[in-house]
Amino acid sequence: MASVRGNSVYQGVYGALRTLLHLTAAVQFGYGIYYDYNYVQFPTSEPEMRIHHPWGGKFKYLTFLDAIIQALYYIVSLVNDFVGTNELTPKKPPAVRRFKDWLMATLAFPVAINVGVTFWTLYAIDRELVFPKVLDPVFPSWLNHVLHTNIVVFIVLELFISYRSYPKRSQGLAGLAIFMGAYLVWIHVVKHYSGVWVYPVLEVLQLPQRILFFAAVVGFTLSLYLLGEFLNNTVWAKEVKLAKRKSN
């Protein structure tokens, strides 16, 4: 009896901490989106406009789109905490739980890791390729870390505190590939109408180099899907085995 009561208390505290994490992340990324969209105004005079042309607004940046994905994921997670289920292997998971699991596996994890790793790698090589110093007066440091650092921190924490059932690998990879393909088309549309590449690094690459760069980015992102699946199956090995037995 004491063991059952102790386990119940543990589950209650664990669930409360998980919900607190989801709430903190949802508020943080939601406010980051709001602040970025309403208060961060890039310079529009020459030559700065040749770096950040206003055409397409904030929606041409993968960082901004990823922040929307992260905010959506944690809002869905909050809804699931209250009206869905966090049972490890429910027989009939509700729609909100199924969508939460799909969103984490297909977009939230791989895109967050892609944005964080790519941004800070290029920043370390030459920050002018990805975040020119001209932006320092208008783009606060705390927002930079919310959009490029905390996305990784929170999604890794989420990996360890919430089990999710991965979709079929072909379906998950297809969803991620469609998203990345659509984004590559979008930045070419922006280039066509504005005459400026979304990211300064693309300005210094010749066509063959850009093709290799795009292929590498897509390949890297798809590999991150596989990494997320592997980590999920490793961290939650017992639950994955149980889920497989239930499905057979």
Side-chain angles (χ1 to χ4, degrees), residues 8-149:
S8 177
V9 171
Y10 171 79
Q11 292 295 334
V13 172
Y14 184 84
L17 290 175
R18 178 174 50 211
T19 299
L20 179 62
L21 180 99
H22 292 159
L23 176 62
T24 302
V27 171
Q28 175 186 210
F29 295 125
Y31 182 73
I33 294 168
Y34 168 79
Y35 188 94
D36 189 8
Y37 188 81
N38 289 283
Y39 296 107
V40 175
Q41 302 297 328
F42 293 154
T44 56
S45 58
E46 294 288 353
E48 288 84 359
M49 194 172 69
R50 294 295 303 169
I51 299 176
H52 294 281
H53 195 280
W55 202 95
K58 301 297 175 63
F59 294 95
K60 61 178 176 284
Y61 300 109
L62 186 59
T63 291
F64 190 78
L65 296 177
D66 176 57
I68 294 174
I69 292 172
Q70 301 306 314
L72 173 62
Y73 173 74
Y74 290 109
I75 290 171
V76 170
S77 296
L78 272 175
V79 174
N80 180 70
D81 288 340
F82 289 102
V83 300
T85 178
N86 283 305
E87 184 182 345
L88 294 175
T89 55
K91 290 183 178 180
K92 293 183 179 180
V96 65
R97 169 63 183 272
R98 295 196 302 271
F99 179 59
K100 170 183 178 289
D101 288 357
W102 178 89
L103 187 59
M104 167 70 172
T106 305
L107 294 179
F109 180 85
V111 178
I113 302 298
N114 178 10
V115 169
V117 171
T118 302
F119 176 85
W120 289 115
T121 299
L122 291 174
Y123 190 97
I125 294 171
D126 182 359
R127 67 167 296 182
E128 294 299 316
L129 296 175
V130 65
F131 193 78
K133 291 181 180 179
V134 69
L135 297 182
D136 285 346
V138 298
F139 203 97
S141 177
W142 67 263
L143 182 60
N144 187 21
H145 284 293
V146 165
L147 300 183
H148 297 116
T149 305

Side-chain angles (χ1 to χ4, degrees), residues 167-180:
K168 290 183 178 180
R169 184 176 295 175
S170 59
Q171 295 176 352
L173 287 172
L176 180 57
I178 289 172
F179 173 81
M180 291 302 297

Side-chain angles (χ1 to χ4, degrees), residues 199-214:
Y199 302 104
V201 64
L202 297 175
E203 298 284 357
V204 302
L205 299 178
Q206 299 300 316
L207 179 59
Q209 295 172 318
R210 282 201 299 271
I211 293 174
L212 288 175
F213 179 79
F214 290 141

